[in-house]
Amino acid sequence: MKALCFSGIQPTNVIHIGNYIGALKQWSDLQHRYPCYFCVVDLHAVTVTQDPKLLRENILNTAATYLAVGIDPKRSRLFIQSEVKEHAELGWLLGTIVKIAELQRMTQFKDKSKKRGESVGVGLFTYPALMAADILLYDTTVVPVGEDQMQHVELTRTIARRFNQQFGDTFVVPESLIQTTGARIMGLDDPTEKMSKSARSPMNYIALTDDDDTVRKKVMRAVTDSGDDVSYDPKKKPAISNLLTIYHHMTGTHLKDTEKKFSGKGYGDFKKALAEAVIEHIAPVRRKIAEYRKDPQQLMKLLDEGRDAACEAAEKKMNLVRDRMGLGRR
Ligand code: TYM
């Protein structure tokens, strides 16, 4: 079986360093090992209300971000989910395979619906079936994601096995690929909750597009723990441990070496160093995003090519699925 990697990000609000450390950073390494599909999952974005104009902007910003962090369109296919109709079609069909009770167990649905109450749409509930469709359409073997998406990938595996059992071998059963550290970056303003695009305050996250001064301000105002020693202990020191993890991913420095370096120096010095490390890492990404956005023709051409390649693979798989399920006419 050929190895293949698929992943995606919702084009909502901003892309933050949690998305970067948990997902994007590994994507650019993986493309040297596997054929990859990287998708801008706009159909998932509309499971909560979006402003259409802003959504369009965010779709292109997300695609530009993929390129800016090093996704190479010569190696990887880059495309927009809604432009490959088979995602919606397979999402519908997999909705007939997955059980209501399974969807009710999804923690992301539980969290999001708790916050939104009555205004939750059916799409938010069936979201994992669409995500399974994204993955299964391409015979994906690895899905690099942050920890919060693990449960969805697990459900994708269940759906694939169930479909294969019922209709004969059709789908490859994929695996998630999770970083050993940084798979769950916590909010700067609250280290008990994950860093989130939909956070109430922008002080929760560092966006890849934040300018240098904003990064400095956010890091310096980040919540810390009691005491003043810079040491890694997620239970007793969740805030500093989170900042240490970010520092590790920005500099490649081992946690133990960072602890030694800042021993006896207190939180202030560490935060200053962290802010500069983040700036050094993300300022070039921010500049590249702006460059890609300035040249829309290049971005459009790459997205056209990605769409065409994805359509070819997706159409083939959907023909097989329709056939297996006995849909339509031969
Ligand atoms: P999304 O858009 O919420 O997040 C994109 C990626 O970033 C990871 N991530 C994090 N990693 C570490 N710390 C955090 N605080 C953090 N926040 C987010 C996510 O785990 C994800 O990998 N359902 C997906 C999008 C999707 C998808 C797919 C992914 C749709 N179809 C198929 C993989 C394969 C989502 O909402 O990601």
Side-chain angles (χ1 to χ4, degrees):
M1 187 215 319
K2 238 180 38 206
L4 192 138
C5 161
F6 183 101
S7 201
I9 295 187
Q10 294 191 62
T12 49
N13 196 10
V14 290
I15 297 186
H16 54 63
I17 53 166
N19 302 128
Y20 176 70
I21 293 171
L24 277 171
K25 202 162 165 259
Q26 14 174 16
W27 295 5
S28 43
D29 297 336
L30 285 167
Q31 63 183 348
H32 299 283
R33 291 170 45 199
Y34 307 112
C36 294
Y37 285 88
F38 296 119
C39 184
V40 180
V41 291
D42 54 348
L43 293 176
H44 278 109
V46 294
T47 55
V48 298
T49 312
Q50 301 291 336
D51 173 73
K53 256 199 193 140
L54 203 60
L55 179 61
R56 280 259 159 88
E57 275 299 297
N58 283 334
I59 288 170
L60 295 182
N61 283 338
T62 305
T65 305
Y66 289 2
L67 294 166
V69 300
I71 300 305
D72 177 357
K74 287 199 195 81
R75 289 180 182 277
S76 304
R77 270 106 198 227
L78 181 76
F79 71 103
I80 301 169
Q81 186 187 32
S82 65
E83 294 185 354
V84 180
K85 305 282 179 271
E86 285 76 6
H87 287 251
E89 184 180 358
L90 185 59
W92 170 261
L93 296 177
L94 297 183
T96 67
I97 304 287
V98 69
K99 312 284 178 216
I100 289 181
E102 286 168 332
L103 294 175
Q104 279 168 333
R105 279 199 289 276
M106 295 295 109
T107 52
Q108 194 153 25
F109 173 72
K110 285 198 248 179
D111 289 350
K112 285 195 180 172
S113 55
K114 213 188 291 162
K115 280 182 202 147
R116 287 166 206 276
E118 294 278 297
S119 68
V120 170
V122 174
L124 194 64
F125 185 57
T126 57
Y127 179 117
L130 180 60
M131 181 160 161
D134 299 341
I135 297 168
L136 299 180
L137 266 178
Y138 300 95
D139 287 342
T140 304
T141 55
V142 281
V143 189
V145 281
E147 200 181 275
D148 62 338
Q149 296 302 318
M150 251 171 94
Q151 200 185 21
H152 289 157
V153 180
E154 266 311 307
L155 185 58
T156 301
R157 290 165 59 80
T158 306
I159 293 172
R161 284 199 205 96
R162 190 173 297 149
F163 189 101
N164 289 346
Q165 218 163 29
Q166 207 170 326
F167 299 106
D169 241 7
T170 309
F171 295 126
V172 171
V173 180
E175 284 187 33
S176 53
L177 193 68
I178 312 280
Q179 306 253 49
T180 41
T181 68
R184 188 177 176 82
I185 297 294
M186 310 308 277
L188 297 183
D189 59 349
D190 179 2
T192 65
E193 294 280 345
K194 71 164 182 157
M195 185 175 283
S196 167
K197 289 178 198 156
S198 54
R200 246 179 257 127
S201 158
M203 298 308 281
N204 171 270
Y205 54 74
I206 295 170
L208 293 183
T209 45
D210 278 345
D211 62 32
D212 298 355
D213 282 343
T214 307
V215 173
R216 282 191 194 100
K217 190 172 82 191
K218 288 184 177 179
V219 172
M220 295 318 285
R221 288 205 197 149
V223 167
T224 47
D225 311 292
S226 54
D228 63 358
D229 60 317
V230 179
S231 59
Y232 187 79
D233 184 341
K235 280 226 168 79
K236 289 196 194 127
K237 284 177 159 279
I240 285 297
S241 301
N242 187 42
L243 298 184
L244 276 164
T245 303
I246 297 173
Y247 189 81
H248 165 69
H249 282 275
M250 294 293 114
T251 61
T253 320
H254 219 274
L255 286 176
K256 286 274 163 247
D257 293 334
T258 311
E259 284 177 340
K260 233 186 266 163
K261 184 170 170 190
F262 292 98
S263 152
K265 294 206 174 127
Y267 294 154
D269 278 7
F270 170 60
K271 279 178 152 185
K272 273 186 207 147
L274 173 62
E276 295 316 308
V278 172
I279 289 167
E280 200 178 312
H281 206 94
I282 71 167
V285 174
R286 183 181 72 226
R287 277 183 228 117
K288 280 189 200 145
I289 294 173
E291 276 167 30
Y292 282 113
R293 287 306 318 267
K294 254 196 239 145
D295 183 2
Q297 280 192 338
Q298 188 193 8
L299 197 55
M300 296 303 161
K301 183 171 164 280
L302 294 176
L303 287 169
D304 283 350
E305 287 167 2
R307 176 203 56 210
D308 293 346
C311 274
E312 206 183 310
E315 268 173 26
K316 240 194 232 160
K317 188 55 120 188
M318 270 318 296
N319 283 337
L320 177 66
V321 171
R322 284 188 216 106
D323 202 39
R324 289 268 150 91
M325 293 183 82
L327 292 165
R329 291 179 288 174
R330 239 186 226 276

